[in-house]
Amino acid sequence: MTFDIAIIGGGPGGYTAADAAAKAGKSVVLFEERDLGGTCLNRGCIPTKALIHSAELYHAAKSSENLGVSAQGVAFDLDAMHARKKEVVEQLRAGIAKMMKADKVTVVEGHATITGKQQVSCSGEVYEATDVVIAAGSVPNLVPIPGIDGPGVYTSDDLLEENPPKLSSLAIIGGGVIGMEIASLYANLGIEVHVLEVADRILPPMDKEIAQRVTMLGKKNGMQIEAKVNITGIEGEPGKVTLGYLDKKGNEQQLTVDGVLAATGRKGKLDGLFAEGCDWEPEINRGIVADEAGATNQEHLWVIGDAKARNIQLAHVASAQARNVVAAICGKELPVDMNVVPSCVYVSPDVSSVGLTEAEAKEAGYEVKCGKAVTGSSGKCLIEDAPSGYAKIVTDATTGTILGAQLVFPRATDLIAELALAVQLKLTVKQLAQVIHPHPTFCEIIGDIANELAE
């Protein structure tokens, strides 16, 4: 069977590329060995947020007396939460399948292997394609800690599958996005949570002030958070797992919990991707090396998403790269600017950022002027009894150009798009201040900062 484009992986990058290619008039075959939607839909973004939403509702019902609402007998049912999560996932997965059918994309179930130049094998069949796009996604990356692959130690995939372990206490190794989102989920359910991070602070890639604020709010919600630790080993069994570590002062510590989550990042899913002896294998350096358009050092072989080396592992990055790679294959200009990528963390409250932090802007040589507002000054935040947070806009003091922004308040993950647009278009705070922000809203905070900076 021969196609214009073969795509390996049916996640956000893969199915977006298939849709774009089909709309460009290309014949497409899409390979997926598990479920359409990939990690994001089935074991990542969507199930995590569905469960977090349920947990936040439970937490709100338990702590709303100061709003004049008193609820009795409030309880959570983890099985029911996962059943509802499953409904959401299945509905979205069905939507992707329907889109592929409408696009006349040939979807093949099974593990796909690149066996030669412009050749992919799957389930005993050989497929030829002019161009091959790798969108294989990622798998959990377990760091070399004694016992990390033992009983009672889970990955995020395990905790998001059906029939998850019932835990009354959880230790999380890693205070990155995955670790902190699951920490927020369990803490909102009243479960004992310990977060252990090897770096100087949680959420290492983000602004230091965000890390400080999320740490404070996490501890207020009952989390135990320790940074600058060194995990020495894990032993035990489900229900009684002992984790040994050195704290920030170098003292030996032990922690016994029902289970441990290894949230130590993800790596490109490359095992078994190339057949033994395949002479079409590209350069690999912790992922497949490629340029901005996704082109590897092998002609007609492309890569996008988590399988790409030095890539930001986010679903919306993979989707954007999918649009670019199809344009490149079709000989067209790349439609998406990959230099401005918003980042989101779904904790309580939301965290989001885009562009440069204040420290990064100064390091880049800008004379920096920042504007900041706290949630206590927002009528909408006070109305909704939002946890203490803030919004911050970073600008070039000379020109007023918006360089970046960081938000820690409700709906921040929805509102960051306005600031991403401002950064991408190189708008000034004066231009942003010309936009009327409705009252009372969360987005009003952004308008208030812009007005202040524009004066």
Side-chain angles (χ1 to χ4, degrees), residues 264-313:
T264 50
R266 299 182 69 88
K267 61 181 179 180
K269 188 178 180 183
L270 306 182
D271 291 348
L273 182 59
F274 295 93
E276 187 174 349
C278 177
D279 60 359
W280 206 40
E281 187 169 343
E283 179 186 355
I284 295 177
N285 181 12
R286 296 185 181 181
I288 298 172
V289 178
D291 65 14
E292 181 184 10
T296 71
N297 62 345
Q298 300 289 342
E299 191 177 8
H300 297 293
L301 182 62
W302 311 76
V303 63
I304 58 175
D306 291 1
K308 185 179 179 183
R310 297 183 294 276
N311 205 39
I312 302 173
Q313 293 183 330

Side-chain angles (χ1 to χ4, degrees), residues 243-361:
L243 187 150
Y245 66 97
L246 302 178
D247 64 21
K248 63 181 180 181
K249 294 181 179 179
N251 299 320
E252 293 185 3
Q253 304 289 348
Q254 280 195 339
L255 176 64
T256 300
V257 290
D258 287 352
V260 172
L261 168 65
T264 50
R266 299 182 69 88
K267 61 181 179 180
K269 188 178 180 183
L270 306 182
D271 291 348
L273 182 59
F274 295 93
E276 187 174 349
C278 177
D279 60 359
W280 206 40
E281 187 169 343
E283 179 186 355
I284 295 177
N285 181 12
R286 296 185 181 181
I288 298 172
V289 178
D291 65 14
E292 181 184 10
T296 71
N297 62 345
Q298 300 289 342
E299 191 177 8
H300 297 293
L301 182 62
W302 311 76
V303 63
I304 58 175
D306 291 1
K308 185 179 179 183
R310 297 183 294 276
N311 205 39
I312 302 173
Q313 293 183 330
L314 295 170
H316 48 276
V317 168
S319 297
Q321 290 175 339
R323 294 173 58 198
N324 280 350
V325 78
V326 171
I329 289 171
C330 295
K332 297 180 179 179
E333 183 180 349
L334 303 188
V336 185
D337 178 2
M338 297 304 304
N339 294 311
V340 181
V341 178
S343 297
C344 301
V345 189
Y346 294 82
V347 290
S348 299
D350 288 0
V351 170
S352 61
S353 66
V354 70
L356 301 179
T357 65
E358 181 177 359
E360 289 169 341

Side-chain angles (χ1 to χ4, degrees), residues 373-396:
V374 295
T375 53
S377 64
S378 163
K380 181 65 170 177
C381 289
L382 291 175
I383 288 168
E384 298 206 3
D385 194 32
S388 62
Y390 70 96
K392 183 177 181 180
I393 297 178
V394 182
T395 73
D396 179 340

Side-chain angles (χ1 to χ4, degrees), residues 14-211:
Y15 69 73
T16 302
D19 179 57
K23 285 180 168 57
K26 302 291 185 180
S27 59
V28 183
V29 58
L30 175 68
F31 302 96
E32 173 53 56
E33 64 178 322
R34 296 183 70 175
D35 299 302
L36 281 176
T39 294
C40 175
L41 174 54
N42 298 286
R43 297 167 298 281
C45 319
I46 299 300
T48 305
K49 281 58 176 181
L51 293 170
I52 286 174
H53 181 64
S54 295
E56 288 177 340
L57 288 176
Y58 169 77
H59 181 74
K62 293 278 288 185
S63 55
S64 58
E65 287 189 1
N66 63 316
L67 300 180
V69 178
S70 179
Q72 303 299 320
V74 178
F76 71 88
D77 182 333
L78 194 60
D79 290 333
M81 289 170 58
H82 276 264
R84 191 257 174 182
K85 170 214 71 178
K86 182 180 178 182
E87 290 178 1
V88 172
V89 169
E90 288 180 346
Q91 183 174 340
L92 292 171
R93 190 191 300 146
I96 296 170
K98 184 177 180 180
M99 179 172 65
M100 294 297 97
K101 184 177 180 179
D103 287 339
K104 295 182 171 54
V105 171
T106 299
V107 178
V108 179
E109 296 181 6
H111 179 78
T113 302
I114 295 173
T115 50
K117 185 175 182 180
Q118 298 167 299
Q119 186 180 85
V120 179
S121 296
C122 183
S123 302
E125 297 285 343
V126 177
Y127 300 81
E128 305 284 346
T130 304
D131 289 276
V132 176
V133 178
I134 298 169
S138 62
V139 293
N141 180 38
L142 298 181
V143 297
I145 297 173
I148 198 166
D149 57 351
V153 182
Y154 309 100
T155 66
S156 57
D157 287 4
D158 298 324
L159 296 186
L160 296 174
E161 294 283 4
E162 292 184 54
N163 304 312
K166 305 297 192 297
L167 306 171
S168 60
S169 57
L170 175 67
I172 300 175
I173 302 174
V177 174
I178 294 172
M180 292 311 301
E181 288 187 349
I182 293 183
S184 181
L185 162 63
Y186 278 84
N188 277 331
L189 295 176
I191 293 169
E192 177 186 331
V193 175
H194 301 261
V195 178
L196 302 171
E197 169 58 50
V198 67
D200 291 347
R201 53 186 172 84
I202 62 170
L203 302 174
M206 304 193 90
D207 185 53
K208 183 177 181 180
E209 191 172 358
I210 286 179

Side-chain angles (χ1 to χ4, degrees), residues 221-237:
N221 200 21
M223 298 181 203
Q224 301 297 315
I225 300 175
E226 293 187 64
K228 299 176 70 173
V229 305
N230 181 21
I231 311 297
T232 55
I234 308 168
E235 59 182 21
E237 58 187 21

